[in-house]
Amino acid sequence: MSLWTYVNGRFIPKEEASVSVYDHGFLYGDGVFEGIRVYGGRVFKLDEHVQRLYESAKSILLDIPLPPEEMKRVILETVRRNGLRDAYVRPIVTRGPGDLGIDPRKCGTPTVVVIVDRIQLYPERAYREGLRMVTATHRKNASDSLNPRIKSLNYLNQILARLEANLAGADEALMLNHEGYVCECTADNVFVVHGEEVWTPPAHLGILRGITRDTVLEIAQALGIAAVERTFTLHDVYTADEVFLTGTGAEIGPVVWVDGRTIGSGKPGPVTLRLLEAYRDRTAREGTPVYEETPTAPGGAG
Ligand code: PXG
């Protein structure tokens, strides 16, 4: 059975869902998006993702033509139509169709799309054995050029870094800012463990403030693990006891190798695994219900 995609108020089979080639999202990457997970029939961190979507849009002066509460209803309805209990949701809002010039005043109505599908960011092996990562030569976009806090459709910066990882045969790329401080990976935030402490770069360095990152900081606090936002360099990555990355798709991914250096024991570490277990526990229990609270959902398992 085909999946249904929401496009500007209508539900369309995935294969037929499309937007105009004059859409400025397509022509110029002029738009914003989110990546959300559904676990066991509940949308995890729906409010946080919708809030970030509207903040990204506000920052680029893009008026989303429906209020946030309506967007939440559309997201829930799109998941429901697909009958999935475990899924990945991708809301996208673009400047809409315009002419071939870049002037956004030529764009009439923003395009609103919600895709529901599945995603696997890293192979299963990566979670058992850990990820291998290289530092990209491409630095993060500077905050005063294209602020990485905006989750925009302009992902070339991250894609160029990801290509470097692919060329090196690695699973991920680590990105630094222009001062050489560690920022994040191509679609994930990064954490290092040093002794009793867990560090992650502060948002003002020029990163996307990940919702998984915030959840992990919260979980660490609840578990009595000292987790702090801190500026650090590659040296602190190479000498860490553990390194892991966080993201909606990846959840918590252990990193065991960076630029030829083995991290800690070379295996996923105890702090990473403790946090991952607690994270999975939350995703299994929390979230906004998609369906009436019945034991089985229409359409079967996701
Ligand atoms: N940094 C960047 C640059 C990102 O694009 C994250 C960090 C993690 O944020 P969240 O809120 O997901 O914890 C992202 C997330 C996915 C996926 O499925 C994520 C992103 C883009 C494409 C897919 O995890 N961005």
Side-chain angles (χ1 to χ4, degrees), residues 20 33 46 78 84 86 93 119 179 212 225 228 245 252 279 282 293 301:
S20 163
F33 77 104
L46 177 62
T78 313
L84 296 174
D86 292 284
V93 184
I119 194 173
E179 291 182 296
T212 317
I225 299 168
V228 291
L245 44 81
I252 298 175
Y279 184 78
R282 283 207 186 197
E293 295 280 79

Side-chain angles (χ1 to χ4, degrees), residues 33-37 49 52 88 90 119 121 140 148 151 155 158 175 184-190 207-214 246-251 279:
F33 77 104
E34 273 300 320
I36 313 177
R37 289 279 287 268
H49 283 284
R52 190 172 64 184
Y88 180 84
R90 170 67 56 89
I119 194 173
L121 247 56
K140 288 293 299 180
K151 201 165 165 64
Y155 256 55
Q158 290 89 323
M175 299 184 76
E184 61 181 337
C185 303
T186 62
D188 297 294
N189 292 111
V190 68
I207 62 167
L208 183 80
R209 189 167 157 198
I211 288 162
T212 317
R213 169 188 180 275
D214 283 357
T246 66
T248 298
E251 300 181 321
Y279 184 78

Side-chain angles (χ1 to χ4, degrees), residues 35 37 39 43-49 52 189 191 198 200 208-225 227 229 244-248 251-252 274-287:
R37 289 279 287 268
Y39 295 96
V43 183
F44 191 61
K45 301 280 176 192
L46 177 62
D47 291 353
E48 288 81 352
H49 283 284
R52 190 172 64 184
N189 292 111
F191 286 72
V198 178
T200 196
L208 183 80
R209 189 167 157 198
I211 288 162
T212 317
R213 169 188 180 275
D214 283 357
T215 307
V216 166
L217 287 171
E218 217 180 275
I219 289 173
Q221 197 179 21
L223 293 178
I225 299 168
E229 293 182 302
F244 61 88
L245 44 81
T246 66
T248 298
E251 300 181 321
I252 298 175
R274 238 180 113 200
L275 290 168
L276 177 58
E277 191 191 334
Y279 184 78
R280 293 220 162 126
D281 183 59
R282 283 207 186 197
T283 60
R285 285 186 297 104
E286 294 177 10

